[in-house]
Protein backbone atom coordinates (compact mmCIF):
# COMPACT_ATOMS: atom_id res chain seq x y z
CA UNK A 1 0.00 0.00 0.00
CA UNK A 2 1.45 3.42 -0.88
CA UNK A 3 1.72 6.10 1.76
CA UNK A 4 0.59 9.18 -0.17
CA UNK A 5 -2.33 10.00 -2.33
CA UNK A 6 -3.46 13.05 -4.24
CA UNK A 7 -6.60 14.78 -3.03
CA UNK A 8 -9.83 14.36 -4.91
CA UNK A 9 -11.72 16.93 -6.95
CA UNK A 10 -14.88 18.49 -5.57
CA UNK A 11 -17.83 20.03 -7.26
CA UNK A 12 -18.70 22.94 -4.96
CA UNK A 13 -16.67 26.16 -4.80
CA UNK A 14 -15.77 25.61 -1.15
CA UNK A 15 -14.67 22.05 -1.68
CA UNK A 16 -12.69 23.07 -4.77
CA UNK A 17 -10.66 25.56 -2.78
CA UNK A 18 -9.99 22.92 -0.12
CA UNK A 19 -8.84 20.49 -2.75
CA UNK A 20 -6.55 23.08 -4.34
CA UNK A 21 -4.98 23.82 -0.95
CA UNK A 22 -4.44 20.15 -0.33
CA UNK A 23 -2.86 19.76 -3.77
CA UNK A 24 -0.42 22.59 -3.01
CA UNK A 25 0.56 20.86 0.23
CA UNK A 26 1.13 17.54 -1.51
CA UNK A 27 2.84 18.94 -4.60
CA UNK A 28 6.29 17.91 -3.43
CA UNK A 29 5.24 14.46 -2.29
CA UNK A 30 5.86 11.34 -4.39
CA UNK A 31 3.09 10.31 -6.71
CA UNK A 32 0.97 7.32 -5.90
CA UNK A 33 1.75 4.31 -8.02
CA UNK A 34 -0.90 1.97 -6.79
CA UNK A 35 -4.63 2.08 -6.92
CA UNK A 36 -6.38 3.05 -3.70
CA UNK A 37 -7.22 0.21 -1.36
CA UNK A 38 -10.85 -0.72 -1.03
CA UNK A 39 -10.68 -0.31 2.71
CA UNK A 40 -9.21 3.19 2.57
CA UNK A 41 -11.47 5.98 3.77
CA UNK A 42 -13.39 8.17 1.43
CA UNK A 43 -12.72 11.87 1.57
CA UNK A 44 -15.12 14.64 2.46
CA UNK A 45 -16.93 14.29 -0.85
CA UNK A 46 -18.26 10.92 0.20
CA UNK A 47 -18.36 11.30 3.95
CA UNK A 48 -21.74 11.61 5.59
CA UNK A 49 -23.12 15.13 5.74
CA UNK A 50 -23.14 15.06 9.54
CA UNK A 51 -19.41 14.34 9.68
CA UNK A 52 -16.90 17.07 8.95
CA UNK A 53 -14.42 16.21 6.25
CA UNK A 54 -10.90 15.00 6.93
CA UNK A 55 -8.28 17.52 6.02
CA UNK A 56 -5.53 16.36 3.74
CA UNK A 57 -2.93 17.51 6.20
CA UNK A 58 -2.03 15.93 9.50
CA UNK A 59 -4.30 17.01 12.35
CA UNK A 60 -3.04 19.91 14.40
CA UNK A 61 -3.58 17.97 17.59
CA UNK A 62 -1.38 15.17 16.35
CA UNK A 63 2.13 16.47 15.79
CA UNK A 64 4.69 14.06 14.51
CA UNK A 65 7.61 12.69 16.47
CA UNK A 66 11.08 13.09 15.02
CA UNK A 67 10.01 13.57 11.43
CA UNK A 68 7.04 15.43 10.07
CA UNK A 69 5.13 12.96 7.94
CA UNK A 70 3.61 14.23 4.75
CA UNK A 71 1.42 11.21 4.15
CA UNK A 72 -2.31 11.42 4.42
CA UNK A 73 -4.92 8.68 4.33
CA UNK A 74 -5.82 7.54 0.86
CA UNK A 75 -8.78 9.49 -0.41
CA UNK A 76 -10.87 8.46 -3.33
CA UNK A 77 -14.41 9.71 -3.85
CA UNK A 78 -15.26 6.38 -5.43
CA UNK A 79 -14.03 4.35 -2.45
CA UNK A 80 -16.85 3.50 -0.04
CA UNK A 81 -16.43 4.38 3.63
CA UNK A 82 -18.16 2.60 6.46
CA UNK A 83 -17.38 5.39 8.93
CA UNK A 84 -20.09 7.81 9.95
CA UNK A 85 -17.67 10.08 11.80
CA UNK A 86 -14.06 9.66 10.61
CA UNK A 87 -10.89 10.40 12.54
CA UNK A 88 -10.75 14.19 12.21
CA UNK A 89 -14.49 14.84 12.43
CA UNK A 90 -16.11 16.52 15.41
CA UNK A 91 -19.42 14.79 16.23
CA UNK A 92 -22.05 16.69 18.20
CA UNK A 93 -21.86 16.51 22.00
CA UNK A 94 -24.64 13.92 22.30
CA UNK A 95 -23.13 11.62 19.67
CA UNK A 96 -19.68 11.90 21.26
CA UNK A 97 -21.05 11.12 24.72
CA UNK A 98 -22.96 8.06 23.46
CA UNK A 99 -19.97 6.75 21.52
CA UNK A 100 -17.70 7.30 24.55
CA UNK A 101 -20.14 5.45 26.79
CA UNK A 102 -20.04 2.45 24.44
CA UNK A 103 -16.24 2.34 24.66
CA UNK A 104 -16.47 2.52 28.44
CA UNK A 105 -19.08 -0.25 28.60
CA UNK A 106 -16.76 -2.44 26.53
CA UNK A 107 -13.79 -2.04 28.87
CA UNK A 108 -14.73 -0.61 32.30
CA UNK A 109 -14.73 -3.94 34.13
CA UNK A 110 -11.57 -5.02 32.30
CA UNK A 111 -9.83 -1.84 33.51
CA UNK A 112 -10.79 -2.63 37.09
CA UNK A 113 -9.96 -6.34 36.94
CA UNK A 114 -6.10 -6.44 36.78
CA UNK A 115 -5.43 -4.44 39.97
CA UNK A 116 -8.25 -6.23 41.79
CA UNK A 117 -6.95 -9.66 40.74
CA UNK A 118 -3.31 -8.96 41.65
CA UNK A 119 -3.98 -7.11 44.90
CA UNK A 120 -6.50 -9.71 46.10
CA UNK A 121 -4.17 -12.62 45.28
CA UNK A 122 -1.33 -10.93 47.20
CA UNK A 123 -3.53 -10.39 50.27
CA UNK A 124 -3.74 -6.59 50.24
CA UNK A 125 -6.49 -4.92 52.31
CA UNK A 126 -9.75 -3.73 50.69
CA UNK A 127 -8.86 -0.04 51.04
CA UNK A 128 -5.61 -0.60 49.12
CA UNK A 129 -7.44 -2.55 46.42
CA UNK A 130 -9.98 0.28 46.04
CA UNK A 131 -7.16 2.82 45.72
CA UNK A 132 -5.35 0.76 43.06
CA UNK A 133 -8.56 0.39 41.05
CA UNK A 134 -9.04 4.16 41.16
CA UNK A 135 -5.48 4.68 39.95
CA UNK A 136 -6.11 2.31 37.03
CA UNK A 137 -9.12 4.42 36.06
CA UNK A 138 -7.21 7.67 36.61
CA UNK A 139 -4.24 6.76 34.41
CA UNK A 140 -6.58 5.25 31.82
CA UNK A 141 -8.09 8.72 31.53
CA UNK A 142 -4.68 10.42 31.32
CA UNK A 143 -3.37 7.86 28.82
CA UNK A 144 -6.42 8.13 26.55
CA UNK A 145 -6.11 11.92 26.48
CA UNK A 146 -2.46 11.67 25.43
CA UNK A 147 -3.26 9.02 22.80
CA UNK A 148 -5.94 11.08 21.06
CA UNK A 149 -4.47 14.59 21.51
CA UNK A 150 -0.86 13.54 20.86
CA UNK A 151 0.96 16.48 22.49
CA UNK A 152 4.68 16.60 21.64
CA UNK A 153 4.28 13.45 19.55
CA UNK A 154 3.18 11.38 22.59
CA UNK A 155 0.23 9.25 21.48
CA UNK A 156 -1.09 7.76 18.26
CA UNK A 157 -3.40 10.63 17.31
CA UNK A 158 -6.19 8.07 16.80
CA UNK A 159 -9.08 6.82 18.91
CA UNK A 160 -6.75 4.57 20.91
CA UNK A 161 -8.15 3.57 24.28
CA UNK A 162 -5.45 2.86 26.86
CA UNK A 163 -5.71 1.18 30.25
CA UNK A 164 -4.12 -1.38 32.57
CA UNK A 165 -2.78 -4.34 30.59
CA UNK A 166 -3.89 -7.96 31.00
CA UNK A 167 -0.44 -9.21 29.97
CA UNK A 168 1.04 -8.83 33.45
CA UNK A 169 -1.32 -9.99 36.28
CA UNK A 170 -0.38 -13.68 36.47
CA UNK A 171 3.36 -12.92 36.40
CA UNK A 172 2.99 -10.10 38.94
CA UNK A 173 1.18 -12.49 41.28
CA UNK A 174 3.93 -15.11 40.92
CA UNK A 175 6.71 -12.57 41.48
CA UNK A 176 4.90 -10.94 44.40
CA UNK A 177 4.39 -14.32 46.08
CA UNK A 178 8.08 -15.09 45.59
CA UNK A 179 9.12 -11.79 47.18
CA UNK A 180 6.84 -12.40 50.16
CA UNK A 181 7.69 -16.05 50.78
CA UNK A 182 11.26 -16.52 49.52
CA UNK A 183 12.75 -13.10 50.23
CA UNK A 184 10.75 -12.27 53.36
CA UNK A 185 9.54 -8.86 52.23
CA UNK A 186 6.60 -7.08 53.81
CA UNK A 187 3.57 -6.27 51.69
CA UNK A 188 4.68 -2.66 51.23
CA UNK A 189 8.24 -3.70 50.28
CA UNK A 190 6.89 -6.28 47.84
CA UNK A 191 4.59 -3.77 46.12
CA UNK A 192 7.34 -1.12 46.01
CA UNK A 193 9.61 -3.68 44.30
CA UNK A 194 6.96 -4.63 41.75
CA UNK A 195 6.25 -0.99 40.94
CA UNK A 196 9.99 -0.30 40.70
CA UNK A 197 10.22 -2.98 38.01
CA UNK A 198 7.18 -1.50 36.27
CA UNK A 199 8.84 1.93 36.29
CA UNK A 200 11.96 0.50 34.61
CA UNK A 201 9.79 -1.51 32.20
CA UNK A 202 8.03 1.67 31.11
CA UNK A 203 11.40 3.16 30.20
CA UNK A 204 12.16 0.00 28.18
CA UNK A 205 8.90 0.46 26.26
CA UNK A 206 9.77 4.11 25.56
CA UNK A 207 13.14 3.01 24.18
CA UNK A 208 11.40 0.44 21.97
CA UNK A 209 9.15 3.21 20.62
CA UNK A 210 12.23 4.90 19.18
CA UNK A 211 13.15 1.66 17.41
CA UNK A 212 9.83 1.16 15.61
CA UNK A 213 11.49 1.88 12.26
CA UNK A 214 13.71 -1.16 12.77
CA UNK A 215 11.06 -3.32 14.45
CA UNK A 216 8.78 -2.83 11.43
CA UNK A 217 11.34 -4.68 9.33
CA UNK A 218 10.52 -7.85 11.25
CA UNK A 219 6.97 -6.96 12.36
CA UNK A 220 5.50 -6.93 8.86
CA UNK A 221 1.84 -6.59 7.90
CA UNK A 222 1.62 -10.37 7.91
CA UNK A 223 2.96 -10.48 11.47
CA UNK A 224 0.63 -7.64 12.52
CA UNK A 225 -2.36 -9.33 10.90
CA UNK A 226 -1.68 -12.64 12.62
CA UNK A 227 -1.13 -10.84 15.95
CA UNK A 228 -4.44 -8.96 15.67
CA UNK A 229 -6.28 -12.15 14.71
CA UNK A 230 -4.81 -13.89 17.75
CA UNK A 231 -5.78 -10.94 19.97
CA UNK A 232 -9.39 -11.34 18.84
CA UNK A 233 -9.40 -15.13 19.07
CA UNK A 234 -7.81 -15.10 22.53
CA UNK A 235 -10.43 -12.64 23.82
CA UNK A 236 -13.46 -14.52 22.45
CA UNK A 237 -13.33 -17.15 25.25
CA UNK A 238 -13.59 -14.28 27.78
CA UNK A 239 -16.81 -13.09 26.16
CA UNK A 240 -18.09 -16.66 25.92
CA UNK A 241 -17.32 -17.25 29.62
CA UNK A 242 -19.30 -14.17 30.60
CA UNK A 243 -22.17 -15.20 28.33
CA UNK A 244 -22.32 -18.53 30.20
CA UNK A 245 -22.60 -16.78 33.55
CA UNK A 246 -19.03 -15.82 34.45
CA UNK A 247 -16.96 -16.71 37.54
CA UNK A 248 -19.94 -16.51 39.92
CA UNK A 249 -21.81 -19.12 37.85
CA UNK A 250 -18.73 -21.38 37.87
CA UNK A 251 -18.57 -21.13 41.67
CA UNK A 252 -22.30 -21.81 42.04
CA UNK A 253 -22.28 -24.71 39.57
CA UNK A 254 -24.79 -22.97 37.29
CA UNK A 255 -22.45 -22.13 34.42
CA UNK A 256 -24.17 -22.55 31.06
CA UNK A 257 -27.66 -21.92 32.43
CA UNK A 258 -29.95 -21.75 29.34
CA UNK A 259 -31.43 -18.50 30.66
CA UNK A 260 -27.98 -16.92 30.78
CA UNK A 261 -27.25 -18.07 27.25
CA UNK A 262 -30.64 -16.77 26.09
CA UNK A 263 -30.00 -13.39 27.71
CA UNK A 264 -26.56 -13.12 26.06
CA UNK A 265 -27.99 -14.19 22.70
CA UNK A 266 -30.70 -11.51 22.89
CA UNK A 267 -28.06 -8.82 23.43
CA UNK A 268 -25.95 -10.30 20.64
CA UNK A 269 -28.75 -10.18 18.07
CA UNK A 270 -30.04 -6.76 19.16
CA UNK A 271 -26.57 -5.34 18.47
CA UNK A 272 -26.49 -7.08 15.09
CA UNK A 273 -29.91 -5.76 14.09
CA UNK A 274 -29.25 -2.17 15.19
CA UNK A 275 -25.81 -2.18 13.60
CA UNK A 276 -27.38 -2.92 10.20
CA UNK A 277 -30.06 -0.24 10.62
CA UNK A 278 -30.14 2.57 8.06
CA UNK A 279 -30.62 5.10 10.84
CA UNK A 280 -27.16 6.38 11.77
CA UNK A 281 -28.05 6.98 15.41
CA UNK A 282 -29.21 3.38 15.84
CA UNK A 283 -26.01 2.07 14.28
CA UNK A 284 -23.77 4.29 16.43
CA UNK A 285 -25.71 3.34 19.57
CA UNK A 286 -26.09 -0.39 18.78
CA UNK A 287 -23.81 -1.61 21.59
CA UNK A 288 -25.31 0.65 24.24
CA UNK A 289 -28.86 -0.15 23.14
CA UNK A 290 -28.13 -3.88 23.18
CA UNK A 291 -26.67 -3.73 26.69
CA UNK A 292 -29.50 -1.50 27.95
CA UNK A 293 -32.12 -3.85 26.49
CA UNK A 294 -30.34 -6.83 28.03
CA UNK A 295 -30.30 -5.16 31.45
CA UNK A 296 -34.03 -4.41 31.29
CA UNK A 297 -34.78 -8.01 30.26
CA UNK A 298 -32.52 -9.30 33.05
CA UNK A 299 -34.52 -7.45 35.75
CA UNK A 300 -37.64 -9.68 35.70
CA UNK A 301 -35.40 -12.73 35.20
CA UNK A 302 -33.72 -12.02 38.54
CA UNK A 303 -30.26 -11.82 36.97
CA UNK A 304 -29.27 -8.46 38.50
CA UNK A 305 -27.20 -8.78 41.69
CA UNK A 306 -28.34 -5.89 43.87
CA UNK A 307 -26.10 -6.99 46.76
CA UNK A 308 -23.28 -5.06 45.07
CA UNK A 309 -24.89 -1.88 46.42
CA UNK A 310 -24.26 -3.10 49.98
CA UNK A 311 -20.46 -3.05 49.53
CA UNK A 312 -18.41 -0.34 51.29
CA UNK A 313 -18.49 2.82 49.19
CA UNK A 314 -15.43 5.00 48.61
CA UNK A 315 -16.71 8.45 47.81
CA UNK A 316 -13.47 10.14 46.82
CA UNK A 317 -9.91 9.10 45.88
CA UNK A 318 -6.86 11.06 44.76
CA UNK A 319 -3.39 10.06 43.48
CA UNK A 320 -0.71 9.63 46.17
CA UNK A 321 2.93 9.12 45.08
CA UNK A 322 4.86 6.19 46.52
CA UNK A 323 1.93 4.86 48.55
CA UNK A 324 3.97 1.73 49.35
CA UNK A 325 7.26 3.55 49.89
CA UNK A 326 10.00 4.44 47.42
CA UNK A 327 10.78 1.93 44.67
CA UNK A 328 12.65 -1.24 45.47
CA UNK A 329 14.66 -2.91 42.72
CA UNK A 330 15.19 -6.63 42.23
CA UNK A 331 17.16 -7.90 39.23
CA UNK A 332 15.21 -11.16 38.94
CA UNK A 333 11.89 -9.33 38.97
CA UNK A 334 13.03 -6.76 36.40
CA UNK A 335 14.45 -9.38 34.00
CA UNK A 336 11.30 -11.48 34.22
CA UNK A 337 9.00 -8.54 33.55
CA UNK A 338 11.24 -7.11 30.79
CA UNK A 339 10.23 -9.96 28.48
CA UNK A 340 6.57 -9.16 29.06
CA UNK A 341 7.17 -5.50 28.28
CA UNK A 342 8.63 -6.50 24.91
CA UNK A 343 5.53 -8.66 24.42
CA UNK A 344 3.38 -5.62 25.27
CA UNK A 345 5.17 -3.63 22.54
CA UNK A 346 4.37 -6.35 19.98
CA UNK A 347 0.72 -6.35 21.07
CA UNK A 348 0.60 -2.54 20.95
CA UNK A 349 1.85 -2.57 17.35
CA UNK A 350 -0.92 -5.04 16.49
CA UNK A 351 -3.56 -3.00 18.33
CA UNK A 352 -2.50 0.27 16.72
CA UNK A 353 -2.41 -1.35 13.29
CA UNK A 354 -5.96 -2.59 13.86
CA UNK A 355 -7.02 0.91 14.94
CA UNK A 356 -5.58 2.29 11.71
CA UNK A 357 -7.50 -0.29 9.69
CA UNK A 358 -10.91 0.27 11.33
CA UNK A 359 -10.32 4.05 11.24
CA UNK A 360 -9.57 3.75 7.51
CA UNK A 361 -6.08 5.16 7.89
CA UNK A 362 -2.78 4.11 6.23
CA UNK A 363 -0.99 1.02 7.51
CA UNK A 364 2.30 1.87 5.83
CA UNK A 365 4.55 4.91 5.48
CA UNK A 366 5.85 7.69 7.68
CA UNK A 367 2.47 8.76 9.04
CA UNK A 368 1.68 5.22 10.18
CA UNK A 369 5.20 4.78 11.58
CA UNK A 370 4.84 8.08 13.46
CA UNK A 371 1.57 6.91 14.98
CA UNK A 372 3.11 3.62 16.08
CA UNK A 373 6.02 5.45 17.68
CA UNK A 374 3.74 7.88 19.49
CA UNK A 375 1.30 5.19 20.64
CA UNK A 376 4.01 2.92 22.07
CA UNK A 377 5.78 5.92 23.62
CA UNK A 378 2.54 6.83 25.39
CA UNK A 379 2.21 3.26 26.73
CA UNK A 380 5.69 3.45 28.23
CA UNK A 381 5.31 6.97 29.63
CA UNK A 382 1.99 6.25 31.35
CA UNK A 383 3.41 2.96 32.70
CA UNK A 384 6.39 4.71 34.33
CA UNK A 385 4.38 7.63 35.71
CA UNK A 386 1.57 5.33 36.83
CA UNK A 387 4.03 3.16 38.77
CA UNK A 388 4.85 6.16 40.97
CA UNK A 389 1.19 6.36 42.01
CA UNK A 390 0.39 2.65 42.30
CA UNK A 391 -0.88 1.77 38.81
CA UNK A 392 0.17 -1.38 36.97
CA UNK A 393 1.49 -1.27 33.34
CA UNK A 394 -0.74 0.35 30.71
CA UNK A 395 -1.42 -0.68 27.12
CA UNK A 396 -3.83 0.09 24.30
CA UNK A 397 -7.03 -1.97 24.54
CA UNK A 398 -8.06 -4.27 21.73
CA UNK A 399 -11.82 -4.48 22.22
CA UNK A 400 -12.32 -0.80 21.44
CA UNK A 401 -11.34 -1.41 17.83
CA UNK A 402 -14.45 -3.55 17.65
CA UNK A 403 -16.50 -0.62 18.95
CA UNK A 404 -15.09 1.64 16.22
CA UNK A 405 -15.88 -0.92 13.52
CA UNK A 406 -19.42 -1.58 14.73
CA UNK A 407 -20.41 2.01 15.52
CA UNK A 408 -18.71 3.68 12.55
CA UNK A 409 -17.32 6.39 14.86
CA UNK A 410 -13.53 6.83 14.72
CA UNK A 411 -13.41 10.49 15.79
CA UNK A 412 -10.62 11.32 18.21
CA UNK A 413 -13.05 13.68 19.96
CA UNK A 414 -14.79 10.60 21.36
CA UNK A 415 -11.49 9.56 22.93
CA UNK A 416 -11.26 12.89 24.73
CA UNK A 417 -14.73 12.24 26.17
CA UNK A 418 -13.60 8.76 27.31
CA UNK A 419 -10.55 10.18 29.05
CA UNK A 420 -12.59 12.80 30.91
CA UNK A 421 -15.19 10.24 32.03
CA UNK A 422 -12.51 7.88 33.34
CA UNK A 423 -10.98 10.71 35.38
CA UNK A 424 -14.38 11.37 36.95
CA UNK A 425 -14.77 7.67 37.75
CA UNK A 426 -11.31 7.61 39.34
CA UNK A 427 -11.90 10.60 41.59
CA UNK A 428 -15.46 9.56 42.50
CA UNK A 429 -15.30 5.74 42.44
CA UNK A 430 -18.82 5.19 43.78
CA UNK A 431 -20.12 5.84 40.23
CA UNK A 432 -18.40 2.67 38.98
CA UNK A 433 -20.69 0.52 41.14
CA UNK A 434 -23.50 1.14 38.65
CA UNK A 435 -21.52 -0.66 35.92
CA UNK A 436 -21.01 -3.64 38.23
CA UNK A 437 -24.78 -4.17 38.25
CA UNK A 438 -24.68 -5.32 34.62
CA UNK A 439 -25.19 -9.11 34.52
CA UNK A 440 -22.30 -11.13 33.08
CA UNK A 441 -24.40 -12.66 30.23
CA UNK A 442 -25.39 -9.16 29.07
CA UNK A 443 -21.75 -8.11 28.82
CA UNK A 444 -20.84 -11.47 27.29
CA UNK A 445 -23.29 -11.10 24.44
CA UNK A 446 -21.81 -7.69 23.57
CA UNK A 447 -18.18 -8.70 24.02
CA UNK A 448 -18.57 -11.79 21.85
CA UNK A 449 -19.29 -9.71 18.76
CA UNK A 450 -16.73 -7.03 19.72
CA UNK A 451 -13.92 -9.56 20.05
CA UNK A 452 -14.96 -11.23 16.81
CA UNK A 453 -14.68 -7.82 15.13
CA UNK A 454 -11.07 -7.56 16.33
CA UNK A 455 -10.20 -10.86 14.64
CA UNK A 456 -11.93 -9.52 11.53
CA UNK A 457 -9.62 -6.47 11.64
CA UNK A 458 -6.65 -8.83 11.50
CA UNK A 459 -8.10 -10.50 8.43
CA UNK A 460 -8.50 -7.08 6.81
CA UNK A 461 -4.82 -6.32 7.49
CA UNK A 462 -3.82 -9.56 5.75
CA UNK A 463 -6.20 -8.87 2.87
CA UNK A 464 -4.45 -5.58 2.08
CA UNK A 465 -1.43 -7.39 0.68
CA UNK A 466 -0.74 -10.14 -1.80
CA UNK A 467 -0.78 -13.54 -0.12
CA UNK A 468 1.56 -15.80 -2.06
CA UNK A 469 2.60 -19.32 -1.10
CA UNK A 470 5.22 -18.13 1.37
CA UNK A 471 2.90 -15.69 3.13
CA UNK A 472 0.16 -18.33 3.28
CA UNK A 473 2.60 -20.71 4.93
CA UNK A 474 3.58 -18.08 7.50
CA UNK A 475 -0.07 -17.36 8.30
CA UNK A 476 -1.08 -21.03 8.52
CA UNK A 477 1.82 -22.12 10.71
CA UNK A 478 1.74 -19.17 13.11
CA UNK A 479 -2.04 -19.35 13.56
CA UNK A 480 -1.69 -23.07 14.25
CA UNK A 481 0.90 -22.41 16.97
CA UNK A 482 -1.13 -19.55 18.44
CA UNK A 483 -4.39 -21.51 18.57
CA UNK A 484 -2.56 -24.49 20.08
CA UNK A 485 -1.19 -22.27 22.85
CA UNK A 486 -4.71 -20.97 23.43
CA UNK A 487 -6.63 -24.24 23.43
CA UNK A 488 -4.09 -26.68 24.93
CA UNK A 489 -1.81 -24.70 27.29
CA UNK A 490 -1.14 -27.83 29.36
CA UNK A 491 0.89 -29.22 26.46
CA UNK A 492 3.67 -26.78 27.37
CA UNK A 493 3.53 -27.27 31.15
CA UNK A 494 6.77 -29.32 31.31
CA UNK A 495 8.88 -26.85 29.28
CA UNK A 496 11.59 -24.67 30.92
CA UNK A 497 10.46 -21.36 32.42
CA UNK A 498 11.41 -18.90 29.63
CA UNK A 499 10.03 -21.17 26.90
CA UNK A 500 6.88 -21.78 28.92
CA UNK A 501 6.32 -18.02 29.27
CA UNK A 502 6.51 -17.73 25.47
CA UNK A 503 3.64 -20.19 25.04
CA UNK A 504 1.64 -18.83 27.99
CA UNK A 505 0.18 -16.13 25.74
CA UNK A 506 -1.43 -17.21 22.46
CA UNK A 507 -0.88 -13.66 21.17
CA UNK A 508 2.86 -13.91 21.77
CA UNK A 509 3.04 -17.49 20.50
CA UNK A 510 1.23 -16.62 17.27
CA UNK A 511 2.77 -13.19 16.66
CA UNK A 512 6.39 -14.07 17.46
CA UNK A 513 6.09 -17.36 15.55
CA UNK A 514 4.90 -15.41 12.50
CA UNK A 515 7.86 -13.06 12.89
CA UNK A 516 10.40 -15.88 13.15
CA UNK A 517 8.92 -18.07 10.40
CA UNK A 518 8.56 -15.10 8.04
CA UNK A 519 12.21 -14.20 8.56
CA UNK A 520 13.41 -17.79 8.06
CA UNK A 521 11.42 -18.25 4.86
CA UNK A 522 12.65 -14.87 3.58
CA UNK A 523 16.27 -15.98 4.10
CA UNK A 524 15.53 -19.21 2.22
CA UNK A 525 13.95 -17.26 -0.64
CA UNK A 526 16.99 -14.96 -0.90
CA UNK A 527 19.34 -17.93 -1.04
CA UNK A 528 17.36 -19.53 -3.86
CA UNK A 529 17.41 -16.25 -5.78
CA UNK A 530 21.16 -15.93 -5.30
Amino acid sequence: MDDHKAPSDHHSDTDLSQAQSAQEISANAPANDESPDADAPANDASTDADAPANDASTDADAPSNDAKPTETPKDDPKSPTELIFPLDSKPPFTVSAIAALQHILAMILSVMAPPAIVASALGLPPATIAYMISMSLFFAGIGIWFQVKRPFGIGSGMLSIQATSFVFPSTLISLGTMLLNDKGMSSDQMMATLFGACFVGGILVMICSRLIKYLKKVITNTVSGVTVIMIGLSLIPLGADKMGGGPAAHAAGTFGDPLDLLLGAIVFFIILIFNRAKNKFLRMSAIMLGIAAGFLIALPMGKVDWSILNQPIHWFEYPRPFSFGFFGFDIEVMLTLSFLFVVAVIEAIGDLTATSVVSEQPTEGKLFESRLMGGVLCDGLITSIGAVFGCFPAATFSQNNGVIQLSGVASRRVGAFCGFIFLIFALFPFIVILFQLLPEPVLGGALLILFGSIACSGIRILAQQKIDRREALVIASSLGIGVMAMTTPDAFAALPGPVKVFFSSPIVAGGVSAMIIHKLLSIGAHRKTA
Side-chain angles (χ1 to χ4, degrees):
M1 180 185 297
D2 203 272
D3 309 332
H4 183 84
K5 62 294 302 166
S8 330
D9 293 331
H10 301 270
H11 299 293
S12 67
D13 293 338
T14 302
D15 289 341
L16 179 58
S17 63
Q18 292 176 350
Q20 290 170 344
S21 299
Q23 288 170 345
E24 291 173 3
I25 292 172
S26 61
N28 296 323
N32 194 7
D33 55 0
E34 293 180 5
S35 60
D37 189 77
D39 290 326
N43 65 1
D44 48 336
S46 60
T47 305
D48 187 90
D50 295 334
N54 287 351
D55 197 285
S57 61
T58 305
D59 189 272
D61 289 336
S64 62
N65 290 334
D66 301 324
K68 293 183 178 181
T70 58
E71 290 86 343
T72 57
K74 289 190 176 183
D75 291 331
D76 182 355
K78 296 180 181 179
S79 297
T81 177
E82 295 187 357
L83 293 177
I84 300 173
F85 289 99
L87 184 65
D88 298 314
S89 64
K90 299 186 183 302
F93 180 89
T94 303
V95 172
S96 297
I98 291 173
L101 182 59
Q102 293 188 123
H103 281 281
I104 289 169
L105 287 171
M107 66 181 292
I108 181 70
L109 298 181
S110 297
V111 175
M112 298 165 60
I117 292 170
V118 175
S120 299
L122 296 176
L124 299 183
T128 301
I129 297 174
Y131 171 77
M132 292 177 66
I133 290 174
S134 286
M135 290 305 97
S136 290
L137 294 168
F138 184 85
F139 282 98
I142 298 294
I144 293 168
W145 186 88
F146 270 91
Q147 287 285 4
V148 299
K149 291 296 184 180
R150 205 169 183 250
F152 311 108
I154 303 171
S156 66
M158 298 185 292
L159 181 48
S160 300
I161 304 298
Q162 185 181 42
T164 310
S165 173
F166 262 100
V167 171
F168 297 88
S170 59
T171 304
L172 287 171
I173 292 170
S174 300
L175 292 173
T177 303
M178 180 269 293
L179 294 174
L180 289 171
N181 298 336
D182 298 347
K183 300 196 176 184
M185 291 187 179
S186 67
S187 292
D188 283 352
Q189 290 173 329
M190 175 267 297
M191 292 302 295
T193 302
L194 291 180
F195 283 122
C198 292
F199 178 83
V200 174
I203 295 175
L204 175 62
V205 173
M206 286 189 274
I207 293 172
C208 288
S209 74
R210 304 297 91 186
L211 303 175
I212 290 294
K213 181 185 299 184
Y214 306 100
L215 291 176
K216 281 297 292 177
K217 293 180 180 179
V218 291
I219 305 176
T220 63
N221 274 1
T222 298
V223 175
S224 296
V226 169
T227 302
V228 174
I229 289 174
M230 287 311 308
I231 289 172
L233 293 181
S234 65
L235 288 171
I236 286 174
L238 174 63
D241 185 78
K242 288 183 177 294
M243 193 167 171
H250 281 291
T254 59
F255 184 78
D257 184 339
L259 288 179
D260 287 337
L261 296 175
L262 175 63
L263 183 57
I266 290 173
V267 174
F268 183 92
F269 284 107
I270 288 176
I271 292 174
L272 281 182
I273 293 169
F274 282 142
N275 186 256
R276 298 308 303 163
K278 294 182 179 179
N279 184 288
K280 296 169 191 172
F281 179 82
L282 290 179
R283 181 192 167 189
M284 290 185 296
S285 311
I287 300 168
M288 186 181 69
L289 292 174
I291 291 176
F295 180 79
L296 293 176
I297 295 171
L299 288 173
M301 295 173 66
K303 294 294 183 180
V304 179
D305 182 10
W306 297 103
S307 65
I308 294 172
L309 299 178
N310 297 326
Q311 296 178 0
I313 296 176
H314 298 270
W315 296 98
F316 181 75
E317 281 286 6
Y318 61 93
R320 300 186 290 274
F322 303 111
S323 298
F324 303 96
F326 190 72
F327 293 143
F329 296 100
D330 183 280
I331 296 298
E332 184 179 352
V333 173
M334 287 191 290
L335 289 177
T336 302
L337 287 179
S338 64
F339 176 76
L340 294 183
F341 279 107
V342 174
V343 169
V345 171
I346 296 173
E347 285 196 20
I349 291 174
D351 289 338
L352 293 168
T353 302
T355 305
S356 292
V357 171
V358 297
S359 301
E360 299 182 349
Q361 297 295 303
T363 54
E364 289 183 1
K366 290 184 179 180
L367 176 59
F368 175 61
E369 185 178 295
S370 168
R371 284 173 172 163
L372 290 184
M373 292 173 67
V376 174
L377 176 63
C378 186
D379 283 355
L381 180 65
I382 296 301
T383 293
S384 290
I385 297 176
V388 175
F389 295 91
C391 178
F392 287 130
T396 50
F397 262 46
S398 306
Q399 52 261 54
N400 298 90
N401 290 323
V403 178
I404 295 173
Q405 183 163 314
L406 288 174
S407 66
V409 180
S411 170
R412 68 178 100 238
R413 187 184 188 192
V414 173
F417 273 64
C418 287
F420 177 76
I421 293 172
F422 270 120
L423 289 175
I424 297 298
F425 287 172
L427 298 175
F428 305 99
F430 66 90
I431 304 174
V432 179
I433 294 175
L434 299 177
F435 291 92
Q436 293 177 288
L437 290 173
L438 292 173
E440 294 274 32
V442 172
L443 287 173
L447 293 178
L448 201 61
I449 190 169
L450 287 177
F451 296 158
S453 296
I454 296 170
C456 181
S457 298
I459 295 172
R460 291 175 66 181
I461 293 172
L462 295 178
Q464 289 182 350
Q465 61 183 341
K466 179 183 177 182
I467 301 179
D468 56 19
R469 189 163 59 91
R470 185 184 68 184
E471 298 298 321
L473 192 58
V474 172
I475 296 168
S477 54
S478 55
L479 284 178
I481 293 172
V483 172
M484 179 181 177
M486 180 177 68
T487 56
T488 54
D490 293 342
F492 308 105
L495 295 177
V499 181
K500 185 177 177 180
V501 170
F502 175 83
F503 288 105
S504 64
S505 168
I507 301 167
V508 177
V512 176
S513 294
M515 191 164 52
I516 295 172
I517 295 170
H518 190 279
K519 201 66 180 175
L520 291 175
L521 294 182
S522 297
I523 293 172
H526 289 320
R527 286 180 177 176
K528 286 182 179 180
T529 303

